[in-house]
Amino acid sequence: MTKSTLSQVFYGTVIHSASLKELAILKDALLVVDDGGTIIALEANVPTEKVSERLETLNASGLSLTKLKNGQFIMPGFVDTHNHAPQWLHRGQGQGLHIIEWLNQVAFHNESLFKDPNHARRVYPMVVKGMLRQGVTTASYYGSLHGEATKILADVCLEKGQRALVGKCNMARNAPDFYVDASVEESLQVTRDCIRHIKNLDPKGELLRHVLTPRFAICCDESLLEGLGEIAKENPTMAIQTHFDESEQEKNFTMSLFPQFTNEADLYEKFNLLNERSILAHCTIMTPYETQRLQDLKCGVAHCPTSNMTVGGGFMAATIKDFLNRGIKVGLGTDSGGGYSISMLNAMRHSLINSFARDFLDSRDGSAAVTMEEAFHMATIGGARVVGFGDEIGDFQIGKQFDALLVDVSDGRGGITAPLEEVDTLRTMLEKFIMTGDDRNIAQVYVRGRLVHSG
């Protein structure tokens, strides 16, 4: 290892998920990142007077050294596993409407505006900039159904340095005439065109990848699902995202359209859209059979507690603890317009609240309640595994890429975080950030070692 291959060093508190049940809270840690954004060293409990010596041993002396102050720490970037990018402007509108009415009265009209590429060029930089400000270093985006706008979203993600999955939304029926694919053939052709565009932007898929995006079976007939299944076979590493068992109204409508099936798991599996690459949003009213199928097929769940608790149709508390206990991959999503917040901190808090409701409904013995460790895991490495980036990011293992946040909960940030006290442990500092912090506490955001936001 030579000095020329190293680029930056951080010294201070480093926190990441050691496992679903355990946080690694490293005090006086040295974290070294090379000029390709790869983590090449992480050592804890290095006394201040030994820092220079250790850096020399690591051939890192003379590099840019960031010494974290009291109230600051480094943690992995957030991974948002489910976000509708075209819903940025109408977040929070239509609360109380059931999902189908909300789509028809609010979402579809606003998404249809992205037919105009200039609208996409105006809005999508706001989306990506806003997400980075919230510490979202990786996002799985639903685009609109428009090919040109979806390409623009991909362009913006790459330009601003956000790691992203981007998909053209497929929907050929059960939507207003002004917001529906012209035909199944056109829907598939535009999808293939978007795949080519994204592969040309990032041939190795290091930061940017396409994700197949059938909105849900309500908007896709059998021929469209079959066509998307064929594309999935042709691209055996490509992620697939859709809505799954989101609400009773949605599920009943789906089953009425596909009477040959008795559940959504068999439906999507039939069309080759349910496998280890699937990112299934919501999963709130699962049958035991469906849960078992997701486990067997190694699917990922995008848990969106904020929207699940705010869209009308019931307080939809997903059985997340059961998923986690089964070893099902679970990450957190903000959803965007279906809720009201794109804050992953809110998603973490609401995952706790959601689980407490589930515990009351199921057992009242605490067995269904999510822990802080599990919420942190879902927001970072858990989400990375759901979207297919688990080998590259999500924690600070040697050899992974440095997607990270520099968090500052000191008084100088001017936020509303619960103040730090001298007696506070590092664990308490983390809890105060998660439960009372906001984007004002996110001082710096890095993706693959590149500073993409500083505030």
Side-chain angles (χ1 to χ4, degrees):
M1 188 63 64
T2 63
K3 291 183 180 180
S4 63
T5 64
L6 305 174
S7 64
Q8 54 191 320
V9 181
F10 298 87
Y11 175 66
T13 301
V14 174
I15 302 174
H16 65 142
S17 180
S19 70
L20 187 61
K21 304 294 184 183
E22 182 184 1
L23 289 169
I25 301 178
L26 309 179
K27 183 180 180 181
D28 297 332
L30 271 177
L31 193 158
V32 185
V33 183
D34 72 16
D35 60 3
T38 300
I39 300 165
I40 62 167
L42 177 59
E43 298 183 5
N45 302 312
V46 179
T48 303
E49 64 272 16
K50 295 288 187 180
V51 169
S52 296
E53 178 183 325
R54 290 304 304 147
L55 290 178
E56 191 168 334
T57 302
L58 293 166
N59 292 325
S61 57
L63 291 178
S64 173
L65 173 61
T66 299
K67 289 188 176 181
L68 305 182
K69 302 174 183 177
N70 182 47
Q72 295 182 332
F73 61 93
I74 295 286
M75 64 166 284
F78 291 129
V79 179
D80 189 336
T81 61
H82 180 71
N83 184 280
H84 288 270
Q87 296 179 5
W88 181 262
L89 296 180
H90 67 269
R91 285 172 291 151
Q93 297 180 33
Q95 293 299 299
L97 292 172
H98 285 219
I99 184 64
I100 302 301
E101 287 73 29
W102 177 80
L103 287 170
N104 285 308
Q105 295 180 38
V106 179
F108 287 158
H109 165 70
N110 283 280
E111 291 186 27
S112 73
L113 301 177
F114 286 82
K115 180 179 181 179
D116 180 357
N118 290 324
H119 184 70
R121 293 188 185 97
R122 179 176 72 89
V123 176
Y124 282 151
M126 299 182 200
V127 176
V128 178
K129 182 179 179 181
M131 295 283 275
L132 288 172
R133 177 178 174 178
Q134 298 285 339
V136 177
T137 52
T138 300
S140 188
Y141 286 122
Y142 283 60
S144 64
L145 64 79
H146 313 103
E148 187 62 28
T150 302
K151 294 177 187 177
I152 291 168
L153 174 58
D155 294 345
V156 171
C157 289
L158 197 61
E159 174 193 348
K160 294 192 176 298
Q162 186 181 45
R163 194 182 300 271
L165 285 73
V166 176
K168 171 257 188 293
C169 198
N170 300 100
M171 40 191 299
R173 65 171 180 175
N174 289 320
D177 292 342
F178 60 79
Y179 192 54
V180 68
D181 290 318
S183 65
V184 166
E185 293 72 24
E186 189 244 14
S187 184
L188 295 172
Q189 184 275 320
V190 174
T191 298
R192 293 181 183 278
D193 188 40
C194 287
I195 292 171
R196 285 191 293 269
H197 179 81
I198 290 173
K199 284 186 175 179
N200 286 336
L201 288 177
D202 189 353
K204 295 181 180 179
E206 294 174 328
L207 286 179
L208 190 65
R209 300 174 184 176
H210 184 272
V211 51
L212 285 177
T213 308
R215 189 177 200 117
F216 52 8
I218 289 172
C219 285
C220 301
D221 62 16
E222 291 192 26
S223 59
L224 181 51
L225 292 174
E226 286 175 355
L228 292 171
E230 286 301 312
I231 295 177
K233 290 179 183 177
E234 295 166 12
N235 298 272
T237 63
M238 186 177 294
I240 305 160
Q241 62 183 358
T242 193
H243 297 79
F244 193 94
D245 285 357
E246 181 173 1
S247 71
E248 185 176 17
Q249 184 190 49
E250 173 268 330
K251 190 165 189 175
N252 289 341
F253 192 5
T254 301
M255 294 299 95
S256 72
L257 295 170
F258 295 90
Q260 67 272 41
F261 298 101
T262 60
N263 62 83
E264 292 194 10
D266 288 345
L267 191 165
Y268 287 107
E269 185 178 3
K270 167 68 175 178
F271 295 105
N272 196 44
L273 297 171
L274 210 62
N275 52 47
E276 72 280 359
R277 296 174 281 134
S278 301
I279 306 168
L280 304 177
H282 304 294
C283 300
T284 63
I285 51 171
M286 305 279 287
T287 64
Y289 172 79
E290 288 174 309
T291 300
Q292 187 63 51
R293 290 309 295 149
L294 265 58
Q295 180 179 350
D296 293 343
L297 295 168
K298 301 180 180 179
C299 302
V301 172
H303 178 38
C304 304
T306 303
S307 62
N308 291 346
M309 295 189 296
T310 53
V311 172
F315 190 94
M316 297 177 288
T319 56
I320 294 303
K321 190 74 168 194
D322 180 47
F323 298 162
L324 295 175
N325 289 340
R326 289 169 173 265
I328 294 174
K329 297 175 294 187
V330 183
L332 295 180
T334 60
D335 202 358
S336 194
Y340 61 87
S341 170
I342 47 86
S343 167
M344 285 292 289
L345 289 171
N346 273 345
M348 293 174 75
R349 296 163 194 161
H350 291 155
S351 73
L352 297 171
I353 295 169
N354 187 293
S355 75
F356 302 154
R358 189 76 263 168
D359 188 70
F360 179 81
L361 293 170
D362 291 347
S363 62
R364 304 191 185 187
D365 62 4
S367 61
V370 167
T371 66
M372 186 70 69
E373 286 82 0
E374 290 165 337
F376 188 94
H377 188 275
M378 289 188 289
T380 55
I381 181 61
R385 290 170 179 163
V386 168
V387 301
F389 273 108
D391 291 336
E392 292 88 357
I393 60 165
D395 56 28
F396 295 137
Q397 291 185 36
I398 306 301
K400 286 196 172 184
Q401 295 166 22
F402 187 66
D403 285 18
L405 313 180
L406 195 164
V407 176
D408 188 342
V409 294
S410 65
D411 292 342
R413 293 301 294 179
I416 56 171
T417 316
L420 286 180
E421 306 253 43
E422 288 187 10
V423 297
D424 285 346
T425 65
L426 296 179
R427 164 66 184 243
T428 299
M429 176 177 67
L430 175 65
E431 288 185 354
K432 286 185 173 182
F433 168 61
I434 292 174
M435 298 308 298
T436 70
D438 58 27
D439 60 284
R440 286 170 289 186
N441 301 112
I442 299 174
Q444 294 179 346
V445 180
Y446 293 86
V447 175
R448 209 178 186 187
R450 172 190 171 190
L451 182 65
V452 294
H453 171 76
S454 180

